């Protein structure tokens, strides 16, 4: 629905922008046509004035023009010999008129422009010019302007399309980010809420048979889980506001993060009859955002638990590997097809095997965190032989 509306909005923007540009081009073209036509007409008038001023007889006018003269006191009108009978009539009538300029019909839709003048010796002169060349030039100008209008309109459509795409792109990006944030929030909040629900159920059962003093450790874990839930919400908001900003350069011990994640998800793992273990080999300090890293490790552990059958095992190991700090999440579950490895981190991608969700949004979020920390995630496994997801991050530089 959102995509359809964006397409409709883009099309309306293209139509409106192209229409406005087309209207401006049409107005400019019409103005150019009028001004050019007037300039051509004035040039013809100037030429007729010059012909009448310089003419000495009616025998040799410029091409396309015809002269008529009536001497003072004479009734005979001399006309250029090549003039047609209709043009002779027009020029004969013209020398009887007052000096001035007018257009006349010389037969067969043949329009001419006539200029009448009286000289100091009392003679009357008239010159007629064929308007066909002027009309032809005006027609050519009109065609040229029309072609230019069409080309301009085509350019306007292209420009309007590009502008509309640029204008709508931020809206589409905003809607995509909004949908991504909702999906991220739904996915990320599901695991902490499940852990909280499981722990609350266990506390509710044990509170009926055990004194409150014996539940202190589990209540503390419940408080820690609620704090973790708040961290997830805060991290999601920060991620939505500045997804491409680098993480803060604070020192984070990945071994401690792994232990926290395992402690937080241990009750949930027991509930689904999966043994969850953690192995650390000393401190593993890196620079990064603690909540985001916990988010990534939690996603990997949650993915592993979701693909291990009852009685299975998930092991989280933190160790040094060459020039990287590695967090290995190993399970003995349903495994994976190596051919699917490239697509495991696509958002909303699900495989075909396993009782749980198959490599969905959590892995995409984990990869996003890894890349933000200049790291990566490696995948190994085989169908029926479990899988290992390894988060590799650069260690903190030595001081």
């Amino acid at each position: 629905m959102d995509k359809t509306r964006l397409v409709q909005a883009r099309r309306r923007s293209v139509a409106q922008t192209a229409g406005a540009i087309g209207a401006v081009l049409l107005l400019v073209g019409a103005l150019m046509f009028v001004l050019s036509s007037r300039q051509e007409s004035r040039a013809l008038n100037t030429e007729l004035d010059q012909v009448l001023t310089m003419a000495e007889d009616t025998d040799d006018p410029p091409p396309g023009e015809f002269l008529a003269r009536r001497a003072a006191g004479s009734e005979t009108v001399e006309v250029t010999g090549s003039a047609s009978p209709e043009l002779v009539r027009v020029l004969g009538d013209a020398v009887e008129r007052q000096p001035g300029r007018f257009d006349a019909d010389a037969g067969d839709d043949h329009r001419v422009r006539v200029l009448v003048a009286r000289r100091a010796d009392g003679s009357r002169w008239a010159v007629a010019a064929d308007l066909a060349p002027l009309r032809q030039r005006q027609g050519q100008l009109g065609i040229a302007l029309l072609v230019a209008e069409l080309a301009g309109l085509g350019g306007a459509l292209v420009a309007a399309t590009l502008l509309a795409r640029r204008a709508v792109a931020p809206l589409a990006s905003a809607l995509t980010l909004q949908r991504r944030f909702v999906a991220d929030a739904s996915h990320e909040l599901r695991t902490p809420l499940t852990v909280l629900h499981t722990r609350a159920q266990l506390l509710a059962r044990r509170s009926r048979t055990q004194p409150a003093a014996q539940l202190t450790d589990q209540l503390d874990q419940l408080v820690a889980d609620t704090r973790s839930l708040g961290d997830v919400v805060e991290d999601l908001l920060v991620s939505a506001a500045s997804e491409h900003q680098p993480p803060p350069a604070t020192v984070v011990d990945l071994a401690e993060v792994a232990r926290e994640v395992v402690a937080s998800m241990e009750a949930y793992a027991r509930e689904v009859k999966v043994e969850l273990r953690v192995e650390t080999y000393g401190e593993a300090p890196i620079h990064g955002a603690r909540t985001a890293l916990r988010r990534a490790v939690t996603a990997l552990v949650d993915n592993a638990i979701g693909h291990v059958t009852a009685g299975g095992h998930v092991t989280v190991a933190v160790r040094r590997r060459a020039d990287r700090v590695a967090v290995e999440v190993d399970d003995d579950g349903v495994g994976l097809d190596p051919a699917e490895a490239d697509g495991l981190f696509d958002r909303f991608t699900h495989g075909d095997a396993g009782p749980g969700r198959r490599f969905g949004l959590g892995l995409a979020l984990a990869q996003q965190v890894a890349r933000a920390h200049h790291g990566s995630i490696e995948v190994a496994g085989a169908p029926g032989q479990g899988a290992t997801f390894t988060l590799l991050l650069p260690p903190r530089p030595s001081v």
Side-chain angles (χ1 to χ4, degrees), residues 316-335:
V316 182
V318 182
R319 55 171 57 93
R320 286 291 188 109
R321 182 192 291 186
D323 59 344
R324 288 286 188 270
V325 176
V327 180
E328 300 175 357
V329 181
D330 180 76
D331 67 72
D332 54 6
V334 296

Side-chain angles (χ1 to χ4, degrees), residues 287-371:
H287 279 147
R290 186 183 189 86
T291 55
L293 291 167
R294 176 165 175 161
R295 163 190 177 186
V297 175
T298 299
L300 296 178
V301 174
D302 176 58
N303 178 76
I305 294 175
H307 296 86
V308 174
T309 57
H313 306 81
V314 174
T315 302
V316 182
V318 182
R319 55 171 57 93
R320 286 291 188 109
R321 182 192 291 186
D323 59 344
R324 288 286 188 270
V325 176
V327 180
E328 300 175 357
V329 181
D330 180 76
D331 67 72
D332 54 6
V334 296
L336 57 87
D337 185 351
E340 296 181 358
D342 292 338
L344 296 182
F345 299 97
D346 293 340
R347 302 175 74 87
F348 306 108
T349 296
H350 299 267
D352 300 325
R357 302 169 320 280
R358 190 60 182 168
F359 308 129
L361 188 57
L363 294 181
L365 298 176
Q367 187 181 61
Q368 176 186 329
V369 173
R371 289 175 175 173

Side-chain angles (χ1 to χ4, degrees), residues 71-92:
S74 173
E75 297 296 330
T76 302
V77 177
E78 300 176 15
V79 180
T80 301
S82 59
S84 65
E86 190 64 27
L87 191 55
V88 171
R89 179 190 63 79
V90 171
L91 288 172

Side-chain angles (χ1 to χ4, degrees), residues 10 13-15 17-18 154-168:
R10 186 173 63 191
S13 178
V14 169
T17 304
L157 285 172
V158 174
T161 301
L162 295 177
L163 291 174
R165 286 181 178 176
R166 288 190 176 183
V168 174

